[in-house]
Each structure stands twice: as structure tokens, then as C-alpha cells.
Amino acid sequence: MIPKKVLILYGAPGSGHAQVASALAQAINKTPGWMAHEDHLLRHWPALGGLLLRLYRWVLGHMAGAWGRLHGNPRYLAMARRAESVLYGLDIFRIQKILDRHQPHLVIAVHVLPLRCLAVLKAGGKFSLPLYAVITDFWAHSYWPVAGVERYFASSKCSADDLIAGGVPARRVAITGIPLREEFRSHPSKIYCRLRTNFDPIRKLILVMGGRYGIFPFEELLEAAMNVSVARQWQWAFVFGGNDRALRRARENLPPEESRRIRLTGFLEDMAPLMAASDLLITKAGGSTLAEALACGVAMILCRPIPGQEEGNARFLVSLGAALRADTAGVALQMAAGLLQS
């Protein structure tokens, strides 16, 4: 029997959405009669994609407040729709080439940008395949609801309610959670993972992550890890993501004698062993990272989430008592002391 092909589309490689796409592909490819492929919108625009990602990172680093006001703001939705009806209708991301390459039977979008691109093409009669959407945050902003989607797979009741409030019929919304790769759903014991990642199996371990772009107060937390007495009791793992400049500075400032207690690394493809080995995660509030931490049973302190989608994630988890919120590295350190010494 020839398997039916599923195309899973996301925005940019290395992102949390890419991790969700990988998890979906992993599960679908284990289902008899189905075969999944992943792809992203920057495939045919690598140079432009890199420029846009650098611009996005600059905006988040210097104009985060403005980004938060724009992100998901219904006041700008009508303007966005007018612009995208022209731009996406011209297929500026060459989605048709991606579809021709994979020849899928259906498409799943795990990022709002490919979803809206495909919805515009569908409205114009240029795309007719079944279209599905997976919400990768714990809430759904106002850009997610579009016509032409067969089913939305919501991460939580909160995101399902947001979709329905945005006009999506309730019958088209299913609450399924954020998809996770198998290694996060069936990880070994904490002690085993500590030994596998070469950390002391007894000493507490704090994991610090700043997401794909590494926009995070790494320097402040690293300074505390090296010099604050209570923080020197713990082991630390800093994952800088794509922030190579911050990683270089940190390596220059870390004394050689601290290199076993304090580990510094860039982007890691396989985060599951390190996540499962940790007692506490200090991070922003990306949806996939939070879902992975919840699956691994790791306590969380959310520090300086990006305005917009991450603010919503932080509010959701804090309201449920699943995480603590700290707006400065100093407060995060105080909370860490309270959690790890209780």
C-alpha cells in the first residue's frame, strides 16, 4: 500500500515550532499507512530568511515592548489581512514549490505564518488540500483563526477558548496538548540522565535556556553562578541557543576550574537528556520548551518572557501554579534558592 503523505510546515529552522514539527513527524511515521515530511518557509529564501531572522532578533532585543503591542493585536488584524491578501496571494514564500516537491495528501501548519499563507492560497483557489493547524503556545492570539482549516489541535482549554472566541467553530477544535518527541515522553531516571550528561548525580542542577535566539540575561545568571555563595552550591548548564556572541563572552569569563560545575553550550538538537537531568529550569516562556519541562517534571522559573506569545504562556502557567515568574535575574536566583532548599 502506498502511504499517504503529510507535509508539516513551520516558519524557520531551529525554532520551537521546528521541534513540534519533528515530534509530529516522529509520531506520524510510526503510524501504518502514513508518511510525514517537514519543511519551512525559508527554504527558497535562505539569504532573505537570515536577514529577517536577524531583524526579528534585533526587534526583540531593542523594541520588545513595541513587538508585544503589535503581536496578536486585533486592532492591526484588518491591516495585516489586506497586506497578506496581496503578498501571500503572490506566493512570496514559494509554498507552491514546496507542495510540488513533497506532493502531500494533507498539510499541517505548526506556525501561524504558513497557516495564513495557505489560507490565502486556498481562498484564491490555488490550494485545495485538507489543512490542519497545531497551536504551539498555551494560548492562541488573534491571527490564528482563519477560514479553510479542517481542524485546530489546541494546546490547552485556554487556547481552544481563544480560537472559538475568534470565530472558529467549536466542532473544529480539539484539545490535544503540544506535541512532544518521544524522548521527552519516556525519558530515563534523573540520576541516569545526570550520569549520561556527565553531571554529579547528587548535586542540584539548574538549566538555563534562552530559546532559539538566546535573548536572555545569561551574563547576570552566570555571574551569580560563579560568585554568589548559594549559587555555588549548585551545578549549572547554560544553553545559549543561537546567541554565539554571548556564548563566546561567557567562555572567556568562565575560569577553567569551574568548567565541570558550570557547562556552557550553544544550540542543542537533543535537549531531552539534559532537561530530564535538571532540577530547575530558568528560561523565557516558549511553548515547546515549557511543554518539554512539564513532561520531564522540572520546576520552572520564567524570566523576562518575550512580550506577546511568551507573556501569554507565562500568565497561563503561573495561574496554574506550574511555574514562577521573575522579571530580573536577581529575583530568579532568590526563587531558585527557595525552591531548591525547601
Side-chain angles (χ1 to χ4, degrees):
M1 181 180 69
I2 299 175
K4 290 188 175 181
K5 291 186 283 187
V6 178
L7 174 60
I8 306 167
L9 268 179
Y10 55 97
S15 62
H17 305 99
Q19 302 304 313
V20 171
S22 174
L24 282 171
Q26 185 184 65
I28 291 170
N29 285 329
K30 290 185 176 181
T31 305
W34 292 89
M35 179 173 61
H37 297 283
E38 311 158 48
D39 217 326
H40 57 85
L41 293 188
L42 301 184
R43 171 168 297 283
H44 296 290
W45 297 100
L48 177 60
L51 176 63
L52 291 175
L53 290 176
R54 287 194 295 273
L55 177 61
Y56 174 68
R57 181 173 171 176
W58 184 90
V59 169
L60 293 183
H62 296 85
M63 302 175 61
W67 172 259
R69 288 188 293 273
L70 286 170
H71 189 277
N73 192 322
R75 290 186 297 175
Y76 301 102
L77 189 55
M79 186 191 313
R81 282 175 175 161
R82 287 194 296 271
E84 70 186 11
S85 66
V86 176
L87 296 175
Y88 301 165
L90 295 172
D91 195 14
I92 61 170
F93 291 107
R94 301 184 181 177
I95 289 182
Q96 194 59 59
K97 281 193 172 183
I98 297 175
L99 294 172
D100 291 343
R101 178 185 182 208
H102 295 285
Q103 295 290 308
H105 293 87
L106 63 89
V107 180
I108 302 174
V110 298
H111 187 278
V112 71
L113 184 55
L115 179 70
R116 296 190 72 87
C117 288
L118 288 165
V120 169
L121 294 176
K122 200 167 195 179
K126 299 176 181 178
F127 170 72
S128 58
L129 298 176
L131 176 61
Y132 297 83
V134 174
I135 310 300
T136 57
D137 290 300
F138 288 99
W139 67 295
H141 54 68
S142 58
Y143 291 104
W144 274 107
V146 292
V149 178
E150 303 289 333
R151 181 67 63 92
Y152 282 88
F153 297 101
S155 55
S156 65
K157 185 178 184 302
C158 177
S159 64
D161 290 344
D162 289 337
L163 291 168
I164 294 168
V168 178
R171 69 180 183 278
R172 294 189 182 273
V173 179
I175 302 173
T176 55
I178 295 177
L180 297 175
R181 298 195 306 276
E182 186 175 347
E183 50 266 37
F184 286 101
R185 293 183 281 111
S186 57
H187 53 82
S189 69
K190 188 179 295 293
I191 290 179
Y192 175 88
C193 290
R194 289 271 182 87
L195 295 172
R196 179 179 169 184
T197 52
N198 296 315
F199 281 100
D200 186 319
I202 305 300
R203 207 172 190 179
K204 298 292 186 182
L205 174 60
I206 297 181
L207 173 60
V208 181
M209 296 177 62
R212 170 67 177 89
Y213 306 107
I215 303 171
F216 202 64
F218 287 113
E219 290 185 4
E220 300 166 56
L221 288 167
L222 180 58
E223 181 72 21
M226 291 190 297
N227 299 309
V228 176
S229 58
V230 65
R232 290 182 59 81
Q233 302 174 27
W234 310 320
Q235 303 174 98
W236 294 77
F238 288 80
V239 180
F240 287 78
N243 195 337
D244 296 333
R245 182 180 301 176
L247 177 58
R248 284 195 301 270
R249 287 198 302 265
R251 284 174 171 166
E252 290 169 359
N253 294 329
L254 184 67
E257 62 270 18
E258 290 280 33
S259 61
R260 180 161 179 81
R261 185 178 68 89
I262 301 174
R263 308 281 181 80
L264 311 175
T265 186
F267 179 76
L268 288 178
E269 186 65 38
D270 184 11
M271 277 298 306
L274 187 54
M275 182 81 76
S278 302
D279 295 288
L280 173 65
L281 170 66
I282 301 177
T283 187
K284 304 187 294 95
S288 60
T289 297
L290 301 184
E292 290 163 358
L294 289 169
C296 291
V298 180
M300 286 180 279
I301 297 174
L302 309 182
C303 186
R304 299 184 191 173
I306 294 173
Q309 69 271 33
E310 291 192 1
E311 282 281 359
N313 289 336
R315 285 194 300 270
F316 178 79
L317 262 67
V318 170
S319 71
L320 296 178
L324 298 176
R325 168 74 180 264
D327 289 324
T328 69
V331 172
L333 190 65
Q334 293 173 8
M335 289 180 171
L339 287 171
L340 296 180
Q341 293 178 345
S342 62

